Amino acid sequence: MSTEASWLSDPSAMHDLRYWDGAAWTEHVIDAGAQSVDPPPPGLPAPLAAPAAPPPPPPPAAASPPDAPPAPAAQQPTGKLSWKDRLKQAAEQGKAVAEQAKGAVAEQQSKRAQQWAEDPNTIWWGESKGAGTSATGMSKARYRITKDRISIDTGLLGVRSEQVPLWAVKDIDVRQSLLYRGQDVGDVILQLEDPAYGVDPSGAMSMSGMTEAGTTSGEVLLDNIEGPYRVQELLMPLVSEARAKKLRERQTQYLNVNPGYGAAMAGMAAPAPAAPPPPAGPPADLSDQLRKLAALRDDGVLSEEEFAAQKARLLSG
């Protein structure tokens, strides 16, 4: 009795199953449930009559494309912002605050400039024309000249105001860079006779206008102003007049404190009568008068030229 056509164990042991067509082994084989083709080797014995092996599983059908994923549900407002939204919101708020502060500072500086311009005591006023001034509408320093002093305002949000008396200025220089020379912009440098009257410029770009404690350099810098040479020519007679006035004040104060010096100075200033033959030795009070003259020179009442003239007069008399 022949075995009916069916899938049977592969007698060659090369595959799990091989198909018997009822008369011979075929090339159709199955391994681990997967069907393939492999010609049977010669000499395979015919199968014994036995129950047929279970039919192979049907070949898998072609997989249909998966359904399109459902569209994400519209995000319902929950009242909470993501960290990116919060960061963006904070940046926009900071930008708005900065713009508001910049506008307030520009308005404050404009009012200050108008106040100076309308003050009858103002001889000249100006501001620093450094880089970024026109773009921001703010100036890091403002300057004002009156008959007896220079006023300086520095700082951006906070303002530090300082006063420098003109009598403290002993020299005036102008400095211009190649970048600003064509624009008639430069620095006016005021050298002071006493560093205590100097201005520390390190807080000019600070937000508060304040600086840490430090020492001054003994000069005042009118930084990047328009027409620096015109300002120099304007300051020179004002400084000369202020220094002469201060010298007279010092002399008057010194004479009020030491009334004896007035008579001594008047006697030394009067024309000397015909001198008798010089005595054998200097007068007893000559050294005392020389000491007094030196004291007047050291206190600034007499210049070096005046001191030398009076000393020569004493020694020749």
Side-chain angles (χ1 to χ4, degrees), residues 223-245:
D223 176 56
N224 286 329
I225 62 173
E226 291 182 349
Y229 286 102
R230 295 195 301 272
V231 175
Q232 181 189 36
E233 293 175 358
L234 173 68
L235 278 172
M236 290 178 66
L238 295 175
V239 168
S240 179
E241 181 180 355
R243 289 181 64 83
K245 181 179 178 181

Side-chain angles (χ1 to χ4, degrees), residues 3-263:
T3 305
E4 296 180 355
S6 62
W7 289 95
L8 302 175
S9 297
D10 186 5
S12 68
M14 297 173 63
H15 303 281
D16 294 340
L17 300 175
R18 184 177 292 275
Y19 191 72
W20 172 261
D21 61 3
W25 295 102
T26 68
E27 59 185 1
H28 301 289
V29 295
I30 291 178
D31 291 294
Q35 184 174 343
S36 61
V37 174
D38 184 18
L44 288 180
L48 299 175
S64 60
D67 296 335
Q75 184 178 3
Q76 300 295 327
T78 60
K80 296 182 179 180
L81 298 176
S82 66
W83 68 268
K84 291 183 178 179
D85 293 334
R86 289 197 299 270
L87 186 62
K88 182 179 179 181
Q89 188 179 58
E92 291 176 350
Q93 291 176 350
K95 183 178 179 180
V97 171
E99 290 294 331
Q100 183 178 4
K102 185 174 72 173
V105 171
E107 182 180 1
Q108 179 185 10
Q109 293 185 356
S110 177
K111 289 182 178 179
R112 182 66 163 172
Q114 183 178 2
Q115 178 185 1
W116 280 354
E118 295 175 352
D119 190 338
N121 295 320
T122 299
I123 298 177
W124 175 90
W125 68 271
E127 61 185 11
S128 174
K129 298 293 182 180
T133 300
S134 58
T136 61
M138 298 183 295
S139 175
K140 67 178 182 179
R142 282 73 58 197
Y143 311 106
R144 176 195 184 200
I145 298 175
T146 61
K147 189 176 182 180
D148 60 352
R149 68 189 60 249
I150 300 173
S151 301
I152 301 174
D153 286 358
T154 55
L156 295 179
L157 296 183
V159 177
R160 181 183 63 177
S161 296
E162 296 180 274
Q163 308 288 328
V164 178
L166 290 181
W167 60 260
V169 179
K170 66 178 181 180
D171 194 14
I172 307 174
D173 296 322
V174 172
R175 178 177 59 202
Q176 276 186 313
S177 66
L178 294 176
L179 177 64
Y180 291 118
R181 186 169 298 172
Q183 306 174 23
D184 195 21
V185 173
D187 301 335
V188 174
I189 307 168
L190 309 179
Q191 301 292 338
L192 306 181
E193 68 174 16
D194 188 347
Y197 292 102
V199 175
D200 184 0
S202 59
M205 292 302 293
S206 70
M207 303 306 289
S208 65
M210 299 295 105
T211 57
E212 298 180 358
T215 58
T216 54
S217 61
E219 69 178 24
V220 174
L221 177 66
L222 307 187
D223 176 56
N224 286 329
I225 62 173
E226 291 182 349
Y229 286 102
R230 295 195 301 272
V231 175
Q232 181 189 36
E233 293 175 358
L234 173 68
L235 278 172
M236 290 178 66
L238 295 175
V239 168
S240 179
E241 181 180 355
R243 289 181 64 83
K245 181 179 178 181
K246 187 65 175 179
L247 178 60
R248 290 193 297 268
E249 289 179 358
R250 286 175 173 175
Q251 291 175 343
T252 302
Q253 292 172 357
Y254 197 86
L255 292 177
N256 289 337
V257 175
N258 302 276
Y261 282 109

